[in-house]
Amino acid sequence: MDPPTAEAVLQSVFTLYNNPNKQEKETASKWLEEFQKSIHSWEIADQLLQRKHDLNSCTFAAQTMRNKIQNSFHELPEAAHESLRQSLLEHISHITLETKPVIVTQLSLALADLALLMSSWRKPVVTLLERFSNNPNMMYAVIELLTLIPEEINSRYLRLGANRRKDVLTELETDSNLVGEYLLMCLMNCNDNELLQMKILKCFTSWVNINAFNLSLIGDNLIIAYSFQLLTNINTKSEIHDAATDCLCGLLQCLEMNNNGDGLDVKLFNGILSLDEAYNTSVAQEDLDKSMNLCRLFTVLVESNLTRMVAGSEAAAPHYSIKALELVLICVGHYDFEVAEITFNMWYRLSEDLYQRNNEALTAHFKPYVERLIAALYKHCQMEADHEGLIEEGDTFKDFRFKVSEIIKDVIFIVSSISCFKQMFLILQTPNVTWESSEAALFIMENVARNILPEESEVVPKVVEAILNLPSNCHIAIRYTSINILGELCDWIDNNPETLEPILNFLLCALQQKNGLATAAANALQSICSACKKHMLGHISGLMEIARCLDGFEIQTESAIGLLKGISIIIGRLPPEQLTAAMQELCGFQVRALGQLTSGEDDGLTLKRDRHDPVFWVDRLASIYRHVNPEVSANDVNPCVFVIVSNWSILSRAMECYKNDPKTMERIVRCIRYAIRCVGKQAMPILESLVKQIITIYSGHNHSCLLYLGSILVDEFACQPSCIEGLLSMLQAFIEPTFQVLQVENGLKDHPDMVDDFFRLVARFIQRSPFQLLQSPLVTPIIQCGLLACTLDHRDANLSVMRFFCSLLSYGRHDRANELRSIVHSILMQHGESLIMNLLYASVFCLHSYMLSDVADVFVEIKHLSPHQLEGYVQKAVDALPKKNSGGSITVTNEQMIEFVENIVKSETPRAVTQALQDFARLYR
């Protein structure tokens, strides 16, 4: 863009905020976005801040300055850093309590980020305190700056690098005493200004969170004492109560990481234990915010002591810190379930630790607490007495009950499933028990039923009998949860087949109900079919009748598909001749409807919900193909072949009919994939027709799912010599349209699914038919595309690219054919340097840390081929990386470069290479 003027920017800002014309607003917004990206925005933002024309222009200028420093600091030469610093300090000096918070925050962020990036600015904290600490009007601005500097240290935008970050942290540690003294002075002189008090606490917390303070020296710090005072005072306002809670939580987490508090941990522990009265007061006053804050503090207290609590309880007596669980359980008993929910992660962590240690005596210390937890959750899970129907989807109470299910499954081993089941059954037998109490008890039972031993004969038979004899007038929620219990008891039912017929009759009756019961019954039937395959064979006629009537039941789509899964599993165990007939009939219901839709004869289908959507029928058919899995010996004809070949014409017609619809195409391709997997090489009769059709469709509609289907065909048929030429032609036909999409600007980034599916296809080809692909001229452009795709930060796509390179390079090992080895070594000579260069660049600048293990696999494969070449490639790649960041600080030293190269070369495992890559990448992040 042409160099803009300050007046032009002011006009655009005015238009953006004040012009009623939407089109002109959008034009102004786009122009301002482009302006912020330009090099000219540095100077003009500075001018606008000096002019103070109006609030909107000052806010925009401050945001622009912050944005430029965060994202475009490299645009400024080092010589301009000092003038930028002076300018920002000048703007900061004009901040008062009346300045709008958004401007204060943006300017403070800009200066804080500059202080971190600008390595030539030594002791920025000292500079700020020397310049502004004696000016009481600057207190607000200085505290904001002192808060943001430690908070921004780990900003992902700044890419400070590990060396710079370490230097800054060391510097801040030496400055922490000055900051602590300044904050105490501010606290004593803030004249009970609650905004300043809150800011002081937040600032102190931000320095605690980076472990800047020496914990052994701050035990008597007045700010900590003040935090306790605020939490004890019933009149403390919510915002400052939040800040005090954050402060103490930060200290606890800091102590958990660095247990060198020299008594601070005991002081905090005892101080927090004494807050039980403050919690009780918050409950009595129905102050939910304070109750949640204190619950959070009690929970963090347990979490910070968890390792010591568990390890120290392996003796006869539990560790003293176990008392903190009492506080947490008091909170779990709060009348609002949102308070109980705060504790859930702590219970999960506790259960994980106990499970790993597998010590019955140790677990026994925690059993009473978990029993009380479950008892409290049972009460929280009770519906309102006047509630009618089931809990609706999206209801926060339903979400809470789902989380309760998860936490019960995590902790139940501590108290044993059958013990919990019995306890809840006793509640059901209580005289005059209310329906909501019964339903909640059944809900808890539902979540432990799957863990009950199939041999149990004392309680479960009584529960099953009670469910089968539920009175017709019982609340629908009780009936719904009881049906779910039967589904969860599927393994027990398999071991007690005499109960199967009455249970199936009960569920068949429920299938014909409405208001959610049919869906629950379908889900339960699916579970029983999956677990009771042997016993369900005798009921196949009843299951087929259910399939015939499926559209007459009020079942959610996913549950209907699940029910078809269950029926398909049973069909898969039938003798071959019966299997073909049953599968043909089951598929027929779906294929007929799909045939009507694809031929335009959908009369009657459109009247029923989403029956006019082809996906509705395709997904059902896919479920059948996926789960009819007969056991077929190598030389026998798969009884599913006849069905799949017969139905192919309908699926082929559907692909042609819906080739313009990506969503529908994806589901049709998924269905074909399951069909191919079902019969494997016996799908040969449809192979040629299928390949021709997907090539034709892909040339005009670049659906990446067709590439994925191609990889399935390669996986199944590439080991057949007669198929290789056709499959190679298919790959060649895919390449041109694929590369046309990926080679445009941002093509790789905008189409990660295509990258994923294309390289999955190529990797499969290399695995199944390496000679034919590696000897073809296709391999070079594929490798070149893979080199570009190395930097793609999409997990699945990048993984497929890495697996392609690993599959390719693996054929260079000594246990492979000589001809293949020589081809791979030639490829490595030609592309190895570029590959390592791109992989290292991607690891440092583009990929998430968790993705580097996939990159490491490629490094290891190259090492297997030629360790010496790997060392040379890595050395060149390291030399090509920048050694300083945009702020002028050293990103990587010569010693660190040498160490990294040595670590890569000597590493024997992918895990060791991953660690080396992650450590090196941190130097740039």
Side-chain angles (χ1 to χ4, degrees):
M1 66 190 302
D2 294 329
T5 63
E7 283 68 28
V9 177
L10 282 171
Q11 183 58 50
S12 293
V13 171
F14 179 84
T15 301
L16 180 64
Y17 287 101
N18 300 292
N19 194 320
N21 186 309
K22 275 191 176 181
Q23 190 171 352
E24 290 186 18
K25 274 179 178 286
E26 284 182 20
T27 303
S29 178
K30 287 178 182 175
W31 189 89
L32 288 170
E33 277 182 30
E34 288 302 311
F35 161 74
Q36 285 188 317
K37 293 175 186 174
S38 76
I39 191 76
H40 311 290
S41 55
W42 290 100
E43 183 180 354
I44 291 178
D46 188 34
Q47 291 175 20
L48 294 180
L49 287 168
Q50 290 171 13
R51 287 192 187 188
K52 298 187 178 67
H53 185 274
D54 58 29
L55 173 62
N56 288 333
S57 65
C58 286
T59 302
F60 175 76
Q63 287 171 337
T64 301
M65 195 65 82
R66 183 266 305 160
N67 182 54
K68 296 298 287 184
I69 291 173
Q70 277 191 345
N71 302 306
S72 307
F73 193 60
H74 59 275
E75 293 177 354
L76 283 185
E78 280 193 54
H81 292 176
E82 180 57 31
S83 60
L84 174 62
R85 179 178 78 137
Q86 292 303 334
S87 178
L88 282 174
L89 285 169
E90 181 62 24
H91 292 313
I92 291 284
S93 69
H94 295 296
I95 291 175
T96 66
L97 277 172
E98 284 70 45
T99 307
K100 292 296 179 182
V102 64
I103 297 176
V104 177
T105 300
Q106 295 300 319
L107 277 178
S108 299
L109 268 171
L111 189 58
D113 289 345
L114 180 64
L116 296 172
L117 286 166
M118 187 176 162
S119 58
S120 59
W121 185 0
R122 300 293 179 187
K123 294 285 187 181
V125 170
V126 174
T127 302
L128 294 171
L129 291 175
E130 286 177 349
R131 180 160 178 170
F132 299 124
S133 62
N134 292 325
N135 183 350
N137 295 324
M138 287 297 299
M139 194 182 292
Y140 175 44
V142 174
I143 293 172
E144 184 76 3
L145 278 165
L146 293 177
T147 303
L148 290 172
I149 288 173
E151 284 183 356
E152 286 291 286
I153 283 177
N154 294 306
S155 167
R156 63 189 179 92
Y157 298 104
L158 296 185
R159 284 190 167 269
L160 292 177
N163 289 329
R164 173 63 179 162
R165 192 173 289 110
K166 183 180 177 182
D167 290 344
V168 170
L169 285 169
T170 302
E171 197 171 272
L172 294 185
E173 284 176 30
T174 62
D175 296 338
S176 61
N177 286 338
L178 281 174
V179 172
E181 289 168 8
Y182 178 71
L183 291 177
L184 283 174
M185 183 270 289
C186 292
L187 188 61
M188 293 172 183
N189 294 289
C190 65
N191 300 320
D192 293 328
N193 182 311
E194 290 180 344
L195 175 63
L196 280 174
Q197 289 172 337
M198 183 175 67
K199 291 286 182 184
I200 290 164
L201 284 170
K202 286 188 173 182
C203 183
F204 183 80
T205 304
S206 73
W207 285 70
V208 165
N209 289 341
I210 62 163
N211 199 26
F213 293 119
N214 185 331
L215 296 179
S216 62
L217 300 178
I218 63 169
D220 297 321
N221 189 289
L222 291 178
I223 294 177
I224 299 174
Y226 181 58
S227 297
F228 276 108
Q229 181 185 327
L230 289 168
L231 296 179
T232 308
N233 188 343
I234 61 173
N235 298 316
T236 301
K237 291 189 177 176
S238 289
E239 293 83 355
I240 198 165
H241 198 276
D242 292 345
T245 305
D246 289 341
C247 178
L248 295 181
C249 286
L251 282 164
L252 288 171
Q253 287 160 347
C254 196
L255 282 166
E256 181 183 6
M257 302 299 293
N258 313 277
N259 191 17
N260 56 355
D262 197 22
L264 177 61
D265 54 342
V266 177
K267 287 181 182 178
L268 285 177
F269 187 87
N270 291 331
I272 294 169
L273 282 187
S274 69
L275 291 173
D276 57 340
E277 275 306 310
Y279 173 80
N280 292 334
T281 302
S282 73
V283 175
Q285 294 183 340
E286 297 187 2
D287 192 332
L288 184 59
D289 288 340
K290 287 183 181 176
S291 295
M292 292 177 80
N293 275 339
L294 289 165
C295 176
R296 180 161 60 93
L297 182 56
F298 299 156
T299 303
V300 173
L301 177 65
V302 173
E303 288 179 328
S304 66
N305 283 283
L306 203 55
T307 303
R308 286 181 295 165
M309 182 189 297
V310 174
S313 297
E314 290 184 334
H319 192 264
Y320 77 88
S321 62
I322 205 168
K323 289 184 289 186
L325 286 174
E326 295 284 350
L327 290 176
V328 172
L329 283 168
I330 292 171
C331 297
V332 175
H334 192 278
Y335 59 82
D336 193 306
F337 63 75
E338 287 186 50
V339 179
E341 201 174 310
I342 292 169
T343 72
F344 282 5
N345 187 61
M346 181 277 295
W347 293 109
Y348 167 74
R349 284 185 58 189
L350 174 64
S351 68
E352 279 288 288
D353 203 339
L354 291 174
Y355 185 79
Q356 293 295 332
R357 291 174 188 268
N358 192 24
N359 182 326
E360 285 187 22
L362 171 62
T363 302
H365 287 308
F366 295 90
K367 183 177 179 180
Y369 298 99
V370 174
E371 287 174 338
R372 287 166 58 190
L373 168 68
I374 293 173
L377 294 178
Y378 149 72
K379 290 180 181 176
H380 277 302
C381 287
Q382 293 181 23
M383 300 183 197
E384 297 291 339
D386 59 354
H387 185 90
E388 295 180 1
L390 303 177
I391 311 167
E392 293 182 5
E393 291 294 331
D395 191 305
T396 54
F397 184 53
K398 190 175 185 72
D399 293 339
F400 171 73
R401 297 226 315 182
F402 174 78
K403 291 172 185 172
V404 168
S405 297
E406 296 297 303
I407 204 66
I408 286 176
K409 289 168 185 173
D410 286 331
V411 303
I412 195 60
F413 74 92
I414 298 172
V415 297
S416 92
S417 296
I418 191 60
S419 171
C420 176
F421 203 81
K422 288 178 180 177
Q423 194 64 38
M424 293 298 127
F425 187 57
L426 289 176
I427 293 173
L428 295 177
Q429 295 176 306
T430 306
N432 302 318
V433 64
T434 61
W435 77 263
E436 64 271 17
S437 297
S438 297
E439 193 280 333
L442 288 166
F443 175 74
I444 301 295
M445 293 165 76
E446 174 193 338
N447 288 293
V448 301
R450 186 79 64 146
N451 297 331
I452 290 174
L453 292 174
E455 296 79 26
E456 206 285 327
S457 58
E458 180 187 347
V459 179
V460 177
K462 295 176 183 176
V463 172
V464 171
E465 185 182 1
I467 290 173
L468 297 180
N469 292 291
L470 282 172
S472 58
N473 64 344
C474 75
H475 196 286
I476 187 174
I478 289 181
R479 192 171 293 275
Y480 176 83
T481 308
S482 298
I483 292 169
N484 290 340
I485 289 177
L486 292 178
E488 292 299 305
L489 285 172
C490 56
D491 292 327
W492 184 89
I493 294 168
D494 185 44
N495 201 59
N496 296 269
E498 69 280 0
T499 64
L500 185 56
E501 188 158 350
I503 287 172
L504 291 178
N505 291 334
F506 178 84
L507 293 177
L508 182 58
C509 181
L511 270 177
Q512 299 166 62
Q513 304 299 308
K514 296 185 178 181
N515 302 322
L517 293 183
T519 292
N523 294 337
L525 270 172
Q526 178 197 329
S527 296
I528 291 170
C529 284
S530 299
C532 310
K533 302 180 189 73
K534 182 173 67 176
H535 303 301
M536 286 298 289
L537 269 176
H539 299 278
I540 188 64
S541 58
L543 292 174
M544 292 303 295
E545 186 59 37
I546 289 172
R548 291 185 196 102
C549 303
L550 193 58
D551 287 328
F553 302 138
E554 197 175 275
I555 302 175
Q556 289 178 1
T557 300
E558 286 302 313
S559 298
I561 291 170
L563 183 52
L564 286 173
K565 168 188 171 181
I567 297 171
S568 301
I569 288 170
I570 305 306
I571 286 176
R573 296 181 66 86
L574 290 170
E577 62 282 358
Q578 293 180 35
L579 187 155
T580 303
M583 184 179 179
Q584 180 80 327
E585 183 180 2
L586 193 61
C587 291
F589 306 135
Q590 333 309 327
V591 170
R592 277 192 295 275
L594 193 58
Q596 284 180 272
L597 288 174
T598 53
S599 61
E601 303 168 4
D602 59 347
D603 293 342
L605 291 175
T606 54
L607 299 177
K608 296 183 179 180
R609 291 185 289 179
D610 46 6
R611 305 293 198 269
H612 63 284
D613 184 350
V615 167
F616 181 87
W617 304 104
V618 169
D619 282 355
R620 288 181 169 199
L621 189 59
S623 183
I624 299 167
Y625 285 165
R626 184 179 186 181
H627 296 104
V628 176
N629 286 314
E631 294 181 8
V632 182
S633 59
N635 299 318
D636 289 344
V637 174
N638 190 311
C640 302
V641 169
F642 174 78
V643 181
I644 285 169
V645 172
S646 300
N647 295 338
W648 162 241
S649 61
I650 296 293
L651 284 175
S652 175
R653 196 163 77 203
M655 273 208 292
E656 185 60 34
C657 188
Y658 299 107
K659 62 187 177 184
N660 295 320
D661 183 349
K663 175 191 168 189
T664 304
M665 277 297 295
E666 195 167 314
R667 305 299 256 278
I668 294 170
V669 164
R670 180 169 161 265
C671 183
I672 296 170
R673 164 195 162 197
Y674 290 134
I676 300 294
R677 289 300 197 195
C678 179
V679 297
K681 299 174 187 63
Q682 294 186 34
M684 189 73 79
I686 69 172
L687 179 62
E688 186 176 351
S689 164
L690 172 58
V691 169
K692 285 180 180 177
Q693 187 172 10
I694 63 177
I695 287 173
T696 303
I697 293 175
Y698 190 75
S699 65
H701 307 80
N702 306 132
H703 301 305
S704 73
C705 59
L706 296 173
L707 298 172
Y708 184 84
L709 182 56
S711 73
I712 301 297
L713 298 178
V714 168
D715 201 36
E716 293 290 347
F717 295 101
C719 51
Q720 303 283 339
S722 60
C723 297
I724 292 172
E725 188 177 342
L727 292 171
L728 200 59
S729 297
M730 175 190 73
L731 175 61
Q732 186 167 6
F734 280 151
I735 283 179
E736 185 178 346
T738 299
F739 285 8
Q740 282 178 353
V741 173
L742 298 183
Q743 285 172 350
V744 300
E745 187 178 358
N746 293 324
L748 292 162
K749 185 179 179 182
D750 294 340
H751 301 91
D753 291 341
M754 183 176 284
V755 176
D756 180 17
D757 292 328
F758 178 74
F759 281 98
R760 188 193 303 265
L761 164 61
V762 179
R764 285 259 172 85
F765 222 119
I766 289 174
Q767 291 159 6
R768 294 289 180 265
S769 191
F771 268 116
Q772 286 73 11
L773 180 60
L774 296 182
Q775 288 178 323
S776 80
L778 302 179
V779 71
T780 298
I782 291 172
I783 289 173
Q784 289 168 343
C785 183
L787 290 172
L788 293 175
C790 286
T791 58
L792 190 59
D793 66 341
H794 183 282
R795 178 67 195 263
D796 293 335
N798 197 274
L799 176 59
S800 289
V801 174
M802 295 306 123
R803 284 182 175 169
F804 155 69
F805 281 119
C806 285
S807 298
L808 170 63
L809 294 166
S810 69
Y811 285 96
R813 295 183 185 178
H814 290 294
D815 57 345
R816 303 290 190 172
N818 281 333
E819 191 176 350
L820 271 177
R821 286 212 310 272
S822 64
I823 293 172
V824 173
H825 277 276
S826 173
I827 289 172
L828 183 64
M829 288 292 293
Q830 187 178 354
H831 300 288
E833 185 177 320
S834 297
L835 176 57
I836 290 296
M837 190 84 72
N838 289 14
L839 289 176
L840 188 57
Y841 180 87
S843 300
V844 168
F845 294 112
C846 306
L847 305 182
H848 300 287
S849 184
Y850 63 80
M851 297 168 67
L852 298 187
S853 58
D854 306 321
V855 177
D857 291 335
V858 184
F859 275 83
V860 171
E861 286 295 343
I862 294 176
K863 182 176 180 180
H864 285 316
L865 265 66
S866 177
H868 296 299
Q869 278 182 289
L870 174 65
E871 183 173 6
Y873 294 155
V874 174
Q875 186 64 60
K876 283 186 179 179
V878 169
D879 289 341
L881 293 173
K883 307 303 180 289
K884 284 187 175 184
N885 66 17
S886 53
S889 62
I890 298 295
T891 302
V892 56
T893 65
N894 286 329
E895 292 77 12
Q896 288 169 329
M897 289 166 55
I898 293 167
E899 182 185 9
F900 170 66
V901 175
E902 287 179 352
N903 285 339
I904 290 290
V905 173
K906 74 181 182 184
S907 294
E908 298 294 334
T909 64
R911 185 172 183 177
V913 175
T914 302
Q915 189 63 58
L917 287 170
Q918 288 174 340
D919 290 344
F920 190 70
R922 284 191 196 99
L923 298 173
Y924 287 85
R925 295 182 178 180

